[in-house]
Amino acid sequence: MKATVNPVDQHVVTLTIEVPAAEVDKGVKQAVKRIANQVNIPGFRKGHAPRRILEMNFGKDAVLEEAFEVLASQNYNAALRENDIVPVSDPEIERVQFEEGKDLVFKATLTKRPEVTLGEYKGLDAEKQDSTVTEEQIEQQLNAIREQQAKMVVAEEGATIQKDDFAVIDFAGSIDGKPFDGGEGKSYPLQIGSGSFIPGFEDQLIGAKAGDDVTVKVTFPEDYFVAELAGKEAEFKTHIHDIKRKELPELNDEFAKESSAYQTMDELKADLRKKLEEDATRRAIDNYNAELIQTAVKNATVDIPEVMVTDRVEQMIQELAMNMEGRGLKLEDYFKFSNKTVEDLREEYKETAAENVRADLVLDAIATAEAIEVTPDDMNREIFMMAQNFGADPNEVWDIIAKEGRVAMLAGSVGRKKAARFIIDNAKGAKAAE
């Protein structure tokens, strides 16, 4: 096999691949064997039907097409290895010459992985964040627990609706005097100021009392997710059944006993401080490490092919779709409620996708420069962590990855993690990062 590399532009190359006639003949025989193993021909054991019988049943072209697939795949991959080219797109194949008894000549045009010029990635420094916990932060935690322990009580007789109250209401909406789908509700607990209803609706209930009937007039936003209602003026006949308010418990030892495993407020505060300090320290280290890696990525020079960004965007959309499915929803539901299209999403993801691709390329280059290897133990640890995250058996996780042909992809991910660790371990503040 002989391969000639012809650059088309900065990222795209064309491989002209020539395969000797003798190898072509072997490829044809291999194709015959493959077809024979895939089909059942009456009178012949599977895998033993001769070529002339296969051609009688499927045509001569079927054998030659299979032969070309075999030869093109084998020699294309060999040409990539020989010329140290890593493709980031599927090749466009052009047949130049393909006949039995003659050399095979074909061209493969592809986008290759770009070269990375590394900048400084050792001895980097980053700002260390303050992980001090204040009394105000502890009070915020206590108030959050207090909110969770709050009881809903009916407001005293004659009370008027105020912000943060819960108004239990019936409502019936109409546009030009006609009801519309989704415009009616019974005994709905609406928190005033939550912004969960159409803008202006909640404000018009402030000052009303239990038993009152209020006519609320609003205009649906122009970007409302239901196109038939967008921009329309609507009127809601609203009846107020009750006004409910949160009754917050006092912050005392009794509160500590009921809301935690501690007996006193001092013990509860001490535990909250400890947890907040642990979280603050962890966040400070994570941010410090992330800044080091971002600096190493920024210091490198690389021109990213558009196809890599496009592919990463599509990957991000697929991940969103899978997350939606995990919650029993579809991607179409997301588009409906967010009032976005798939093109909006592609545009929105484009910048992040480019940053992610750039980071991956730089980390891969550092792994290569430092001869970082991914060992079987590294892979086993990664599989184990994935299994823990998904609550699955590690063997099952490995079987899925192997079956889907994603072993190399996983190894690349592990290699990038080790490269990131290398940057952190070789930073000026490496000991602090530990």
mmCIF file of all heavy atoms in Angstrom, residues 252-295:
data_model
loop_
_atom_site.group_PDB
_atom_site.id
_atom_site.type_symbol
_atom_site.label_atom_id
_atom_site.label_comp_id
_atom_site.label_asym_id
_atom_site.label_seq_id
_atom_site.Cartn_x
_atom_site.Cartn_y
_atom_site.Cartn_z
ATOM 1 N N ASN A 252 -34.336 28.248 68.919
ATOM 2 C CA ASN A 252 -33.954 27.936 70.292
ATOM 3 C C ASN A 252 -33.535 26.460 70.373
ATOM 4 O O ASN A 252 -33.491 25.761 69.361
ATOM 5 C CB ASN A 252 -35.095 28.250 71.265
ATOM 6 C CG ASN A 252 -36.402 27.604 70.827
ATOM 7 O OD1 ASN A 252 -36.408 26.561 70.173
ATOM 8 N ND2 ASN A 252 -37.517 28.231 71.183
ATOM 9 N N ASP A 253 -33.242 26.000 71.569
ATOM 10 C CA ASP A 253 -32.784 24.613 71.741
ATOM 11 C C ASP A 253 -33.846 23.619 71.282
ATOM 12 O O ASP A 253 -33.522 22.548 70.753
ATOM 13 C CB ASP A 253 -32.409 24.353 73.199
ATOM 14 C CG ASP A 253 -31.134 25.079 73.605
ATOM 15 O OD1 ASP A 253 -30.407 25.558 72.694
ATOM 16 O OD2 ASP A 253 -30.850 25.173 74.815
ATOM 17 N N GLU A 254 -35.113 23.970 71.481
ATOM 18 C CA GLU A 254 -36.199 23.083 71.059
ATOM 19 C C GLU A 254 -36.188 22.923 69.533
ATOM 20 O O GLU A 254 -36.401 21.834 69.004
ATOM 21 C CB GLU A 254 -37.545 23.647 71.519
ATOM 22 C CG GLU A 254 -38.711 22.678 71.383
ATOM 23 C CD GLU A 254 -38.542 21.435 72.241
ATOM 24 O OE1 GLU A 254 -37.946 21.522 73.327
ATOM 25 O OE2 GLU A 254 -39.000 20.353 71.801
ATOM 26 N N PHE A 255 -35.920 24.040 68.844
ATOM 27 C CA PHE A 255 -35.805 24.013 67.384
ATOM 28 C C PHE A 255 -34.656 23.093 66.955
ATOM 29 O O PHE A 255 -34.788 22.301 66.018
ATOM 30 C CB PHE A 255 -35.560 25.433 66.863
ATOM 31 C CG PHE A 255 -35.195 25.511 65.405
ATOM 32 C CD1 PHE A 255 -36.148 25.413 64.417
ATOM 33 C CD2 PHE A 255 -33.863 25.671 65.017
ATOM 34 C CE1 PHE A 255 -35.806 25.487 63.077
ATOM 35 C CE2 PHE A 255 -33.511 25.740 63.679
ATOM 36 C CZ PHE A 255 -34.496 25.645 62.713
ATOM 37 N N ALA A 256 -33.516 23.179 67.671
ATOM 38 C CA ALA A 256 -32.360 22.337 67.351
ATOM 39 C C ALA A 256 -32.704 20.863 67.505
ATOM 40 O O ALA A 256 -32.328 20.032 66.668
ATOM 41 C CB ALA A 256 -31.179 22.714 68.248
ATOM 42 N N LYS A 257 -33.428 20.526 68.579
ATOM 43 C CA LYS A 257 -33.801 19.130 68.809
ATOM 44 C C LYS A 257 -34.721 18.599 67.722
ATOM 45 O O LYS A 257 -34.583 17.457 67.270
ATOM 46 C CB LYS A 257 -34.500 19.003 70.169
ATOM 47 C CG LYS A 257 -33.595 19.249 71.367
ATOM 48 C CD LYS A 257 -34.399 19.187 72.656
ATOM 49 C CE LYS A 257 -33.542 19.546 73.862
ATOM 50 N NZ LYS A 257 -34.339 19.550 75.123
ATOM 51 N N GLU A 258 -35.692 19.419 67.293
ATOM 52 C CA GLU A 258 -36.688 18.972 66.313
ATOM 53 C C GLU A 258 -36.149 18.927 64.890
ATOM 54 O O GLU A 258 -36.637 18.152 64.061
ATOM 55 C CB GLU A 258 -37.913 19.884 66.376
ATOM 56 C CG GLU A 258 -38.708 19.755 67.671
ATOM 57 C CD GLU A 258 -39.950 20.616 67.667
ATOM 58 O OE1 GLU A 258 -40.177 21.322 66.642
ATOM 59 O OE2 GLU A 258 -40.698 20.602 68.668
ATOM 60 N N SER A 259 -35.149 19.736 64.574
ATOM 61 C CA SER A 259 -34.682 19.842 63.193
ATOM 62 C C SER A 259 -33.333 19.169 62.942
ATOM 63 O O SER A 259 -32.838 19.163 61.816
ATOM 64 C CB SER A 259 -34.574 21.318 62.790
ATOM 65 O OG SER A 259 -33.643 21.993 63.618
ATOM 66 N N SER A 260 -32.717 18.599 64.000
ATOM 67 C CA SER A 260 -31.393 17.990 63.824
ATOM 68 C C SER A 260 -31.179 16.902 64.867
ATOM 69 O O SER A 260 -32.066 16.600 65.672
ATOM 70 C CB SER A 260 -30.298 19.059 63.955
ATOM 71 O OG SER A 260 -30.173 19.478 65.307
ATOM 72 N N ALA A 261 -29.966 16.360 64.876
ATOM 73 C CA ALA A 261 -29.608 15.332 65.853
ATOM 74 C C ALA A 261 -28.981 15.944 67.099
ATOM 75 O O ALA A 261 -28.455 15.226 67.958
ATOM 76 C CB ALA A 261 -28.638 14.340 65.221
ATOM 77 N N TYR A 262 -29.011 17.276 67.192
ATOM 78 C CA TYR A 262 -28.353 17.965 68.306
ATOM 79 C C TYR A 262 -29.362 18.446 69.345
ATOM 80 O O TYR A 262 -30.548 18.604 69.058
ATOM 81 C CB TYR A 262 -27.524 19.132 67.761
ATOM 82 C CG TYR A 262 -26.453 18.650 66.804
ATOM 83 C CD1 TYR A 262 -26.647 18.727 65.421
ATOM 84 C CD2 TYR A 262 -25.278 18.088 67.288
ATOM 85 C CE1 TYR A 262 -25.682 18.252 64.549
ATOM 86 C CE2 TYR A 262 -24.307 17.607 66.410
ATOM 87 C CZ TYR A 262 -24.518 17.699 65.049
ATOM 88 O OH TYR A 262 -23.569 17.213 64.194
ATOM 89 N N GLN A 263 -28.833 18.719 70.546
ATOM 90 C CA GLN A 263 -29.700 19.082 71.672
ATOM 91 C C GLN A 263 -29.771 20.586 71.903
ATOM 92 O O GLN A 263 -30.714 21.068 72.533
ATOM 93 C CB GLN A 263 -29.185 18.406 72.958
ATOM 94 C CG GLN A 263 -29.182 16.887 72.902
ATOM 95 C CD GLN A 263 -30.579 16.319 72.706
ATOM 96 O OE1 GLN A 263 -31.506 16.651 73.447
ATOM 97 N NE2 GLN A 263 -30.741 15.474 71.676
ATOM 98 N N THR A 264 -28.773 21.306 71.420
ATOM 99 C CA THR A 264 -28.741 22.753 71.652
ATOM 100 C C THR A 264 -28.442 23.506 70.362
ATOM 101 O O THR A 264 -27.897 22.944 69.406
ATOM 102 C CB THR A 264 -27.665 23.125 72.691
ATOM 103 O OG1 THR A 264 -26.366 22.848 72.129
ATOM 104 C CG2 THR A 264 -27.840 22.322 73.973
ATOM 105 N N MET A 265 -28.763 24.807 70.393
ATOM 106 C CA MET A 265 -28.478 25.656 69.230
ATOM 107 C C MET A 265 -26.978 25.799 69.015
ATOM 108 O O MET A 265 -26.506 25.868 67.878
ATOM 109 C CB MET A 265 -29.095 27.040 69.424
ATOM 110 C CG MET A 265 -30.583 27.107 69.077
ATOM 111 S SD MET A 265 -30.897 26.764 67.324
ATOM 112 C CE MET A 265 -30.093 28.147 66.548
ATOM 113 N N ASP A 266 -26.221 25.826 70.110
ATOM 114 C CA ASP A 266 -24.766 25.943 69.982
ATOM 115 C C ASP A 266 -24.184 24.754 69.231
ATOM 116 O O ASP A 266 -23.292 24.901 68.376
ATOM 117 C CB ASP A 266 -24.121 26.065 71.363
ATOM 118 C CG ASP A 266 -24.383 27.421 72.006
ATOM 119 O OD1 ASP A 266 -24.745 28.355 71.259
ATOM 120 O OD2 ASP A 266 -24.235 27.534 73.235
ATOM 121 N N GLU A 267 -24.671 23.552 69.545
ATOM 122 C CA GLU A 267 -24.191 22.346 68.853
ATOM 123 C C GLU A 267 -24.585 22.368 67.382
ATOM 124 O O GLU A 267 -23.796 21.996 66.509
ATOM 125 C CB GLU A 267 -24.775 21.103 69.533
ATOM 126 C CG GLU A 267 -24.215 20.829 70.919
ATOM 127 C CD GLU A 267 -24.904 19.656 71.603
ATOM 128 O OE1 GLU A 267 -26.099 19.419 71.313
ATOM 129 O OE2 GLU A 267 -24.257 18.982 72.402
ATOM 130 N N LEU A 268 -25.827 22.792 67.103
ATOM 131 C CA LEU A 268 -26.297 22.867 65.706
ATOM 132 C C LEU A 268 -25.469 23.877 64.915
ATOM 133 O O LEU A 268 -25.051 23.607 63.784
ATOM 134 C CB LEU A 268 -27.779 23.247 65.676
ATOM 135 C CG LEU A 268 -28.398 23.458 64.289
ATOM 136 C CD1 LEU A 268 -28.222 22.222 63.413
ATOM 137 C CD2 LEU A 268 -29.878 23.821 64.407
ATOM 138 N N LYS A 269 -25.197 25.040 65.524
ATOM 139 C CA LYS A 269 -24.398 26.063 64.838
ATOM 140 C C LYS A 269 -22.980 25.559 64.569
ATOM 141 O O LYS A 269 -22.408 25.825 63.508
ATOM 142 C CB LYS A 269 -24.352 27.339 65.678
ATOM 143 C CG LYS A 269 -25.623 28.163 65.639
ATOM 144 C CD LYS A 269 -25.434 29.462 66.417
ATOM 145 C CE LYS A 269 -26.656 30.348 66.308
ATOM 146 N NZ LYS A 269 -26.485 31.623 67.051
ATOM 147 N N ALA A 270 -22.410 24.846 65.543
ATOM 148 C CA ALA A 270 -21.048 24.323 65.374
ATOM 149 C C ALA A 270 -20.995 23.335 64.208
ATOM 150 O O ALA A 270 -20.041 23.330 63.417
ATOM 151 C CB ALA A 270 -20.581 23.658 66.666
ATOM 152 N N ASP A 271 -22.034 22.498 64.073
ATOM 153 C CA ASP A 271 -22.083 21.531 62.972
ATOM 154 C C ASP A 271 -22.237 22.243 61.629
ATOM 155 O O ASP A 271 -21.589 21.876 60.646
ATOM 156 C CB ASP A 271 -23.244 20.566 63.186
ATOM 157 C CG ASP A 271 -23.338 19.525 62.079
ATOM 158 O OD1 ASP A 271 -22.420 18.700 61.959
ATOM 159 O OD2 ASP A 271 -24.331 19.570 61.313
ATOM 160 N N LEU A 272 -23.104 23.270 61.604
ATOM 161 C CA LEU A 272 -23.294 24.034 60.361
ATOM 162 C C LEU A 272 -21.997 24.720 59.951
ATOM 163 O O LEU A 272 -21.642 24.740 58.774
ATOM 164 C CB LEU A 272 -24.403 25.071 60.539
ATOM 165 C CG LEU A 272 -25.832 24.534 60.660
ATOM 166 C CD1 LEU A 272 -26.798 25.667 60.958
ATOM 167 C CD2 LEU A 272 -26.249 23.815 59.377
ATOM 168 N N ARG A 273 -21.275 25.274 60.938
ATOM 169 C CA ARG A 273 -20.006 25.937 60.633
ATOM 170 C C ARG A 273 -19.010 24.947 60.036
ATOM 171 O O ARG A 273 -18.342 25.239 59.039
ATOM 172 C CB ARG A 273 -19.421 26.578 61.894
ATOM 173 C CG ARG A 273 -18.060 27.242 61.661
ATOM 174 C CD ARG A 273 -17.514 27.859 62.924
ATOM 175 N NE ARG A 273 -18.311 29.007 63.332
ATOM 176 C CZ ARG A 273 -18.179 30.229 62.830
ATOM 177 N NH1 ARG A 273 -17.284 30.459 61.869
ATOM 178 N NH2 ARG A 273 -18.925 31.211 63.248
ATOM 179 N N LYS A 274 -18.926 23.753 60.639
ATOM 180 C CA LYS A 274 -17.997 22.742 60.151
ATOM 181 C C LYS A 274 -18.309 22.361 58.702
ATOM 182 O O LYS A 274 -17.403 22.289 57.858
ATOM 183 C CB LYS A 274 -18.067 21.507 61.048
ATOM 184 C CG LYS A 274 -17.139 20.384 60.612
ATOM 185 C CD LYS A 274 -17.308 19.150 61.496
ATOM 186 C CE LYS A 274 -16.439 18.005 60.992
ATOM 187 N NZ LYS A 274 -16.639 16.766 61.791
ATOM 188 N N LYS A 275 -19.593 22.121 58.402
ATOM 189 C CA LYS A 275 -19.986 21.733 57.040
ATOM 190 C C LYS A 275 -19.748 22.858 56.051
ATOM 191 O O LYS A 275 -19.292 22.624 54.920
ATOM 192 C CB LYS A 275 -21.455 21.316 57.026
ATOM 193 C CG LYS A 275 -21.714 19.987 57.732
ATOM 194 C CD LYS A 275 -23.199 19.646 57.754
ATOM 195 C CE LYS A 275 -23.427 18.306 58.453
ATOM 196 N NZ LYS A 275 -24.861 17.980 58.577
ATOM 197 N N LEU A 276 -20.044 24.103 56.460
ATOM 198 C CA LEU A 276 -19.820 25.248 55.573
ATOM 199 C C LEU A 276 -18.330 25.430 55.286
ATOM 200 O O LEU A 276 -17.936 25.764 54.168
ATOM 201 C CB LEU A 276 -20.400 26.518 56.190
ATOM 202 C CG LEU A 276 -21.927 26.641 56.172
ATOM 203 C CD1 LEU A 276 -22.378 27.821 57.025
ATOM 204 C CD2 LEU A 276 -22.438 26.809 54.743
ATOM 205 N N GLU A 277 -17.499 25.216 56.307
ATOM 206 C CA GLU A 277 -16.052 25.351 56.115
ATOM 207 C C GLU A 277 -15.529 24.273 55.169
ATOM 208 O O GLU A 277 -14.677 24.552 54.317
ATOM 209 C CB GLU A 277 -15.339 25.262 57.469
ATOM 210 C CG GLU A 277 -15.502 26.512 58.315
ATOM 211 C CD GLU A 277 -14.909 26.370 59.704
ATOM 212 O OE1 GLU A 277 -14.623 25.227 60.119
ATOM 213 O OE2 GLU A 277 -14.725 27.413 60.371
ATOM 214 N N GLU A 278 -16.047 23.044 55.315
ATOM 215 C CA GLU A 278 -15.635 21.960 54.418
ATOM 216 C C GLU A 278 -16.043 22.279 52.980
ATOM 217 O O GLU A 278 -15.256 22.079 52.041
ATOM 218 C CB GLU A 278 -16.265 20.645 54.865
ATOM 219 C CG GLU A 278 -15.669 20.087 56.157
ATOM 220 C CD GLU A 278 -16.434 18.873 56.657
ATOM 221 O OE1 GLU A 278 -17.519 18.574 56.102
ATOM 222 O OE2 GLU A 278 -15.943 18.226 57.607
ATOM 223 N N ASP A 279 -17.280 22.762 52.785
ATOM 224 C CA ASP A 279 -17.757 23.118 51.439
ATOM 225 C C ASP A 279 -16.945 24.269 50.855
ATOM 226 O O ASP A 279 -16.579 24.247 49.674
ATOM 227 C CB ASP A 279 -19.235 23.504 51.484
ATOM 228 C CG ASP A 279 -20.138 22.311 51.720
ATOM 229 O OD1 ASP A 279 -19.669 21.167 51.542
ATOM 230 O OD2 ASP A 279 -21.308 22.505 52.091
ATOM 231 N N ALA A 280 -16.659 25.277 51.698
ATOM 232 C CA ALA A 280 -15.915 26.448 51.223
ATOM 233 C C ALA A 280 -14.494 26.057 50.822
ATOM 234 O O ALA A 280 -13.966 26.530 49.804
ATOM 235 C CB ALA A 280 -15.882 27.520 52.304
ATOM 236 N N THR A 281 -13.878 25.175 51.611
ATOM 237 C CA THR A 281 -12.520 24.713 51.294
ATOM 238 C C THR A 281 -12.509 23.926 49.992
ATOM 239 O O THR A 281 -11.632 24.109 49.140
ATOM 240 C CB THR A 281 -11.973 23.841 52.437
ATOM 241 O OG1 THR A 281 -11.942 24.619 53.638
ATOM 242 C CG2 THR A 281 -10.566 23.344 52.115
ATOM 243 N N ARG A 282 -13.510 23.051 49.835
ATOM 244 C CA ARG A 282 -13.595 22.240 48.617
ATOM 245 C C ARG A 282 -13.807 23.132 47.393
ATOM 246 O O ARG A 282 -13.172 22.942 46.348
ATOM 247 C CB ARG A 282 -14.728 21.231 48.760
ATOM 248 C CG ARG A 282 -14.789 20.197 47.653
ATOM 249 C CD ARG A 282 -15.588 18.971 48.050
ATOM 250 N NE ARG A 282 -16.802 19.298 48.782
ATOM 251 C CZ ARG A 282 -17.009 18.994 50.060
ATOM 252 N NH1 ARG A 282 -16.078 18.386 50.755
ATOM 253 N NH2 ARG A 282 -18.151 19.309 50.658
ATOM 254 N N ARG A 283 -14.702 24.116 47.513
ATOM 255 C CA ARG A 283 -14.943 25.032 46.382
ATOM 256 C C ARG A 283 -13.698 25.838 46.046
ATOM 257 O O ARG A 283 -13.382 26.064 44.875
ATOM 258 C CB ARG A 283 -16.101 25.986 46.706
ATOM 259 C CG ARG A 283 -17.474 25.385 46.538
ATOM 260 C CD ARG A 283 -18.534 26.478 46.469
ATOM 261 N NE ARG A 283 -18.458 27.379 47.617
ATOM 262 C CZ ARG A 283 -19.056 27.167 48.790
ATOM 263 N NH1 ARG A 283 -19.751 26.057 48.978
ATOM 264 N NH2 ARG A 283 -18.944 28.038 49.768
ATOM 265 N N ALA A 284 -12.973 26.275 47.103
ATOM 266 C CA ALA A 284 -11.766 27.068 46.872
ATOM 267 C C ALA A 284 -10.726 26.255 46.114
ATOM 268 O O ALA A 284 -10.075 26.757 45.190
ATOM 269 C CB ALA A 284 -11.204 27.547 48.208
ATOM 270 N N ILE A 285 -10.564 24.979 46.508
ATOM 271 C CA ILE A 285 -9.602 24.111 45.825
ATOM 272 C C ILE A 285 -10.043 23.842 44.390
ATOM 273 O O ILE A 285 -9.237 23.891 43.450
ATOM 274 C CB ILE A 285 -9.430 22.786 46.599
ATOM 275 C CG1 ILE A 285 -8.720 23.053 47.931
ATOM 276 C CG2 ILE A 285 -8.627 21.778 45.778
ATOM 277 C CD1 ILE A 285 -8.642 21.842 48.842
ATOM 278 N N ASP A 286 -11.342 23.554 44.200
ATOM 279 C CA ASP A 286 -11.858 23.297 42.848
ATOM 280 C C ASP A 286 -11.642 24.502 41.941
ATOM 281 O O ASP A 286 -11.229 24.361 40.780
ATOM 282 C CB ASP A 286 -13.349 22.945 42.915
ATOM 283 C CG ASP A 286 -13.591 21.555 43.475
ATOM 284 O OD1 ASP A 286 -12.628 20.776 43.561
ATOM 285 O OD2 ASP A 286 -14.748 21.251 43.832
ATOM 286 N N ASN A 287 -11.935 25.698 42.456
ATOM 287 C CA ASN A 287 -11.774 26.922 41.655
ATOM 288 C C ASN A 287 -10.300 27.194 41.368
ATOM 289 O O ASN A 287 -9.949 27.628 40.264
ATOM 290 C CB ASN A 287 -12.397 28.110 42.376
ATOM 291 C CG ASN A 287 -13.908 28.031 42.430
ATOM 292 O OD1 ASN A 287 -14.537 27.399 41.582
ATOM 293 N ND2 ASN A 287 -14.518 28.661 43.426
ATOM 294 N N TYR A 288 -9.452 26.943 42.363
ATOM 295 C CA TYR A 288 -8.009 27.117 42.179
ATOM 296 C C TYR A 288 -7.498 26.175 41.093
ATOM 297 O O TYR A 288 -6.776 26.582 40.172
ATOM 298 C CB TYR A 288 -7.309 26.853 43.515
ATOM 299 C CG TYR A 288 -5.801 26.758 43.434
ATOM 300 C CD1 TYR A 288 -5.017 27.908 43.403
ATOM 301 C CD2 TYR A 288 -5.166 25.522 43.402
ATOM 302 C CE1 TYR A 288 -3.634 27.827 43.337
ATOM 303 C CE2 TYR A 288 -3.781 25.435 43.342
ATOM 304 C CZ TYR A 288 -3.023 26.585 43.302
ATOM 305 O OH TYR A 288 -1.655 26.507 43.240
ATOM 306 N N ASN A 289 -7.889 24.907 41.181
ATOM 307 C CA ASN A 289 -7.450 23.926 40.182
ATOM 308 C C ASN A 289 -7.974 24.275 38.797
ATOM 309 O O ASN A 289 -7.258 24.171 37.791
ATOM 310 C CB ASN A 289 -7.941 22.533 40.579
ATOM 311 C CG ASN A 289 -7.235 21.993 41.811
ATOM 312 O OD1 ASN A 289 -6.207 22.532 42.227
ATOM 313 N ND2 ASN A 289 -7.778 20.947 42.398
ATOM 314 N N ALA A 290 -9.246 24.680 38.725
ATOM 315 C CA ALA A 290 -9.852 25.026 37.440
ATOM 316 C C ALA A 290 -9.129 26.210 36.797
ATOM 317 O O ALA A 290 -8.910 26.228 35.579
ATOM 318 C CB ALA A 290 -11.332 25.351 37.620
ATOM 319 N N GLU A 291 -8.724 27.186 37.621
ATOM 320 C CA GLU A 291 -8.021 28.354 37.083
ATOM 321 C C GLU A 291 -6.651 27.965 36.534
ATOM 322 O O GLU A 291 -6.213 28.482 35.496
ATOM 323 C CB GLU A 291 -7.876 29.426 38.164
ATOM 324 C CG GLU A 291 -7.342 30.746 37.622
ATOM 325 C CD GLU A 291 -7.324 31.852 38.650
ATOM 326 O OE1 GLU A 291 -8.050 31.747 39.661
ATOM 327 O OE2 GLU A 291 -6.581 32.834 38.448
ATOM 328 N N LEU A 292 -5.978 27.030 37.218
ATOM 329 C CA LEU A 292 -4.681 26.557 36.720
ATOM 330 C C LEU A 292 -4.830 25.915 35.343
ATOM 331 O O LEU A 292 -4.057 26.191 34.416
ATOM 332 C CB LEU A 292 -4.083 25.536 37.693
ATOM 333 C CG LEU A 292 -3.566 26.055 39.034
ATOM 334 C CD1 LEU A 292 -3.163 24.878 39.919
ATOM 335 C CD2 LEU A 292 -2.396 27.007 38.840
ATOM 336 N N ILE A 293 -5.842 25.047 35.202
ATOM 337 C CA ILE A 293 -6.057 24.347 33.932
ATOM 338 C C ILE A 293 -6.458 25.335 32.844
ATOM 339 O O ILE A 293 -5.964 25.264 31.708
ATOM 340 C CB ILE A 293 -7.130 23.252 34.109
ATOM 341 C CG1 ILE A 293 -6.613 22.173 35.065
ATOM 342 C CG2 ILE A 293 -7.501 22.631 32.772
ATOM 343 C CD1 ILE A 293 -7.677 21.267 35.605
ATOM 344 N N GLN A 294 -7.323 26.295 33.180
ATOM 345 C CA GLN A 294 -7.726 27.312 32.203
ATOM 346 C C GLN A 294 -6.540 28.129 31.733
ATOM 347 O O GLN A 294 -6.436 28.484 30.554
ATOM 348 C CB GLN A 294 -8.796 28.220 32.814
ATOM 349 C CG GLN A 294 -10.151 27.551 32.982
ATOM 350 C CD GLN A 294 -11.102 28.371 33.829
ATOM 351 O OE1 GLN A 294 -10.790 29.485 34.250
ATOM 352 N NE2 GLN A 294 -12.272 27.813 34.111
ATOM 353 N N THR A 295 -5.622 28.417 32.657
ATOM 354 C CA THR A 295 -4.421 29.183 32.279
ATOM 355 C C THR A 295 -3.559 28.393 31.305
ATOM 356 O O THR A 295 -3.065 28.935 30.307
ATOM 357 C CB THR A 295 -3.607 29.537 33.542
ATOM 358 O OG1 THR A 295 -4.413 30.317 34.423
ATOM 359 C CG2 THR A 295 -2.352 30.321 33.174
#
